[in-house]
Every structure is written in C-alpha cells, then in structure tokens.
Amino acid sequence: MIEIRGKNKEEILKKIESLGEHEEIYINRELDRDIVIALLENVEPSKIYIPISKYKRSSKKILKALEKIGVEVIPIKAKVGKPTNIDKIIKKYLDKKPKEIAELTGINLKTVEYHYYKLKKREKGCISSSQV
C-alpha cells in the first residue's frame, strides 16, 4: 500500500499524477470528484483507504460510483498527532516522584503523572506475571 499525504487538494493531485499503478492506496483527504478522477486515471487502485473522519465527509455519490466500478473505499482509524518520547524521558526517572520529574524535565506535572503511573503499572504487571 502506498500513502499519499498532503496539506491541500493541489498537493495531493500533484502526488497522484507522479505515481504509477498501485492496488491499494491511502489518502489523508476526503474523496472529491477531482481526486477520484486523478486516482482512476493515474493509479487505478482496487482499494482506497481513508481516515474515518474523511470517509464521513466524502460524497456518498462518489462512494457509490467507486463501488459500482469495483473500487473498495475502506475507512480506517488513522494515527493522529505527533509521536513523543515522553515515556522514554520519564522512564529514566522512575526512581523519583512525579513532581521532581516535572521540575527536572520541564514537562507539565499532569503529563508526567499520567505517563509515570502508566509506566509503573506496566512495570508492576510485568513483575507479577514473571513471578507466577
């Protein structure tokens, strides 16, 4: 599966035009007439994956038309947000209290508490399962 991501429709269209044929494709935008035409002319996919939120905003007529010509549109739960390494940072300081970690790292106390207790629980779960 190939991924096409773009901030706007024009960016998506440019990327689609430069692709070859692919069976499965992921697009991070809702499907509209221009995008579908570009996909069918350049890529000829059998399956198109889009985020659930974009699927809901896509035209029902376009979805039905794609279904009629044998192109399956599949809504998926997309990963959103920027991945962080807060878990790794807090893991280094598990021997300290959350307030101390927050002061040392500059991370918000509530964020530290969330990750701290999540890591402690995971650590505790591993110990108890290995003892059994």
Side-chain angles (χ1 to χ4, degrees):
M1 175 173 58
I2 188 159
E3 289 188 20
I4 298 178
R5 296 178 180 270
K7 293 180 182 177
N8 55 42
K9 188 165 114 175
E10 290 74 30
E11 195 175 316
I12 295 280
L13 290 172
K14 284 180 186 176
K15 289 181 179 182
I16 289 172
E17 289 172 9
S18 66
L19 292 175
E21 287 189 26
H22 292 281
E23 290 284 317
E24 298 181 350
I25 191 162
Y26 170 85
I27 294 186
N28 72 332
R29 305 280 302 173
E30 61 269 5
L31 298 176
D32 67 4
R33 184 176 51 97
D34 298 329
I35 291 176
V36 169
I37 290 170
L39 279 171
L40 294 175
E41 287 177 349
N42 298 298
V43 183
E44 298 181 26
S46 61
K47 293 182 182 180
I48 300 172
Y49 298 92
I50 57 175
I52 293 171
S53 61
K54 306 299 182 181
Y55 181 83
K56 291 177 182 177
R57 293 188 344 204
S58 294
S59 165
K60 301 302 175 221
K61 286 182 181 179
I62 289 174
L63 296 174
K64 284 181 183 177
L66 286 169
E67 186 180 320
K68 282 182 182 178
I69 61 170
V71 178
E72 190 177 359
V73 180
I74 304 166
I76 60 172
K77 186 175 181 186
K79 293 181 179 179
V80 293
K82 181 180 171 187
T84 64
N85 59 356
I86 292 176
D87 274 350
K88 291 178 186 173
I89 294 169
I90 294 172
K91 203 175 228 179
K92 293 177 187 175
Y93 299 106
L94 281 179
D95 58 326
K96 300 187 183 313
K97 298 286 179 199
K99 190 173 182 179
E100 294 174 70
I101 298 170
E103 290 170 359
L104 283 169
T105 61
I107 300 171
N108 182 312
L109 177 60
K110 290 289 183 188
T111 304
V112 170
E113 287 175 345
Y114 170 78
H115 290 280
Y116 178 85
Y117 292 115
K118 183 176 76 172
L119 289 167
K120 282 286 197 181
K121 186 176 180 181
R122 193 180 304 151
E123 190 177 86
K124 186 178 179 182
C126 290
I127 293 170
S128 62
S129 65
S130 64
Q131 290 175 343
V132 173

